[in-house]
Amino acid sequence: MVDTQQIQIQKTAKSRLPEVDFASLEFGQTFSDHMLVADYVNGEWQAPSIIPFGDFSLSPANPALHYGQAIFEGLKAYKNESGEISVFRPQANLRRMNLSADRLCMPAYPEETFLEGLKELLRLDAAWIPTTSGSSLYIRPYMFATGAYLGVKPADSYRFAIITCPVNAYYSTPLRVKVEETFARSVEGGFGFAKAAGNYAGSLYPAKKALEEGYHQLLWTDGKTHEYFEESGTMNLMFVINDTLITPALSTSILSGVTRDTIIQLAKDRGIKVEERKVSVAEVMEAAQNGTLQEAFGCGTAAFISHIVTIGFRGTDFQLPSIESRQYSPQLAKDLDAIRSGAVADTHGWIVKI
Ligand code: COI
């Protein structure tokens, strides 16, 4: 465990905050003044430091650049009207990060050190946390291999870092998505459950093709048969059919979303019937045609709850019921907002106050 006294803090000489236009934030393009950095050397994590946001210096033979030992997380901090800062489920994100680390032969990062470092960083950059509705401070912890060698083996040294950025909604419009039956994001036995950089790299080409066809995102199907839905590029996937919230069951090829888990719990709290199981493309497309598909949405930290209005399937666009007619996802979004803002009690212990 790292004593917070040990966190070296070097403050920026000049804050960039006055240059920021909070009304027009592009996701992930505006970074707060400071970042946290910790190195893993000689088999142990060194005490973290908080330093001004800036470039890293890397060897041209850095193994993460060559073989992709790189993982990340996404979580959010909020500031309420009285200026109180809270973070949503940070322990869940660190747990998942350490599962990703294990799969990619990287060292786990200690929870206590993570929470203490994150709190220090947020205290220092508190003025960067937006307060307008729908906005937040996106927190990006990540880890990558360091060192210099080209042999294919797990690295001996790593860097853990946290950068943060004020953000608005990731998607500014309701989504048009396409069922992907040619390319695969992952397969059972692969590392789709890990939040690993490589999973995102492999998704770019199919996503680019979908964008050229007028869709915002893909609905990935399983890599073996393409008969079952898995997740969407930046989000987990949920459907409401016959008043039941249905979502693909987790597997080694699906990211175990913290927002997914939260939504399932909130739905159960409301007495909504929830099914986590294999969800076939045939079932959903049939429901879209016979009118029993009431809602479809993606959920994730960045995406929050993003309504799907159109599903493209084998060249035909299926229009889903209007967002105004939807009952479940808007209610679940409100429930989640109420917990995050402190308007209702956090009975699940999801909030960490700073
Ligand atoms: C998140 O929701 O935090 C994500 O990581 C999605 C995306 C921006 C990669």
Side-chain angles (χ1 to χ4, degrees):
M1 177 181 142
V2 170
D3 180 349
T4 45
Q5 304 289 324
Q6 284 182 15
I7 302 180
Q8 298 273 336
I9 299 179
Q10 183 199 333
K11 288 192 188 166
T12 183
K14 188 169 180 283
S15 173
R16 288 177 281 101
L17 197 55
E19 296 153 30
V20 177
D21 177 6
F22 278 84
S24 61
L25 293 167
E26 281 266 334
F27 182 91
Q29 298 207 5
T30 303
F31 300 98
S32 317
D33 280 331
H34 299 91
M35 62 184 186
L36 179 141
V37 178
D39 286 322
Y40 182 88
V41 282
N42 301 324
E44 58 184 8
W45 285 106
Q46 309 300 305
S49 358
I50 293 176
I51 55 177
F53 181 91
D55 293 348
F56 292 143
S57 156
L58 297 178
S59 163
N62 170 287
L65 298 179
H66 295 268
Y67 306 125
Q69 259 190 305
I71 56 174
F72 70 96
E73 273 302 321
L75 62 159
K76 281 179 173 171
Y78 304 86
K79 202 194 286 175
N80 70 14
E81 280 156 13
S82 8
E84 286 168 346
I85 300 168
S86 59
V87 187
F88 194 71
R89 304 192 71 180
Q91 296 96 335
N93 284 93
L94 188 74
R95 260 197 306 278
R96 186 174 65 185
M97 184 163 198
N98 285 339
L99 287 175
S100 304
D102 187 52
R103 180 63 177 82
L104 272 81
C105 295
M106 301 166 86
Y109 197 74
E111 180 174 307
E112 188 103 0
T113 318
F114 169 68
L115 289 177
E116 288 310 318
L118 179 60
K119 284 179 186 172
E120 281 296 317
L121 183 65
L122 294 179
R123 280 185 202 116
L124 194 59
D125 280 341
W128 286 83
I129 308 174
T131 48
T132 50
S133 164
S135 63
S136 56
L137 190 77
Y138 183 76
I139 301 166
R140 171 57 65 89
Y142 59 110
M143 193 198 296
F144 59 93
T146 52
Y149 69 89
L150 295 182
V152 181
K153 68 176 181 74
D156 294 327
S157 55
Y158 295 88
R159 173 158 289 186
F160 173 84
I162 307 178
I163 53 175
T164 68
C165 24
V167 295
N168 291 319
Y170 189 81
Y171 293 109
S172 51
T173 55
L175 303 179
R176 290 172 49 80
V177 296
K178 179 191 150 189
V179 180
E180 178 58 66
E181 294 184 287
T182 305
F183 298 103
R185 174 185 171 275
S186 180
V187 288
E188 280 275 11
F191 59 98
F193 69 92
K195 212 159 170 63
N199 284 325
Y200 294 81
S203 75
L204 296 178
Y205 179 75
K208 179 171 151 260
K209 288 185 84 80
L211 201 66
E212 285 162 6
E213 293 167 31
Y215 300 100
H216 298 103
Q217 256 306 342
L218 294 171
L219 301 186
W220 292 105
T221 54
D222 70 281
K224 212 166 177 182
T225 67
H226 295 291
E227 283 177 24
Y228 296 95
F229 282 116
E230 298 240 295
E231 56 165 272
S232 193
T234 46
M235 323 170 278
N236 288 109
L237 206 45
M238 300 214 170
F239 303 98
V240 179
I241 301 176
N242 288 327
D243 296 309
T244 301
L245 184 69
I246 301 169
T247 189
L250 295 177
S251 73
T252 50
S253 57
I254 298 178
L255 190 81
S256 168
V258 176
T259 311
R260 173 188 181 280
D261 181 73
T262 303
I263 296 293
I264 289 173
Q265 186 57 56
L266 291 174
K268 288 180 178 167
D269 290 352
R270 282 204 162 263
I272 297 167
K273 195 169 164 220
V274 178
E275 290 178 4
E276 290 181 72
R277 59 168 169 83
K278 276 179 170 261
V279 182
S280 75
V281 175
E283 168 187 8
V284 172
M285 297 324 298
E286 194 186 312
Q289 287 171 70
N290 70 20
T292 53
L293 177 61
Q294 295 152 282
E295 305 182 16
F297 59 97
C299 57
T301 298
F304 187 41
I305 287 183
S306 290
H307 299 290
I308 293 171
V309 285
T310 305
I311 300 181
F313 180 56
R314 298 184 181 166
T316 304
D317 279 351
F318 293 85
Q319 305 305 336
L320 272 50
S322 70
I323 295 171
E324 296 71 45
S325 71
R326 301 184 185 192
Q327 297 170 23
Y328 295 96
S329 41
Q331 184 59 57
L332 294 167
K334 268 192 209 149
D335 290 351
L336 180 46
D337 260 341
I339 294 175
R340 292 191 312 197
S341 66
V344 301
D346 169 29
T347 53
H348 297 289
W350 286 335
I351 302 289
V352 171
K353 291 217 167 100
I354 302 300

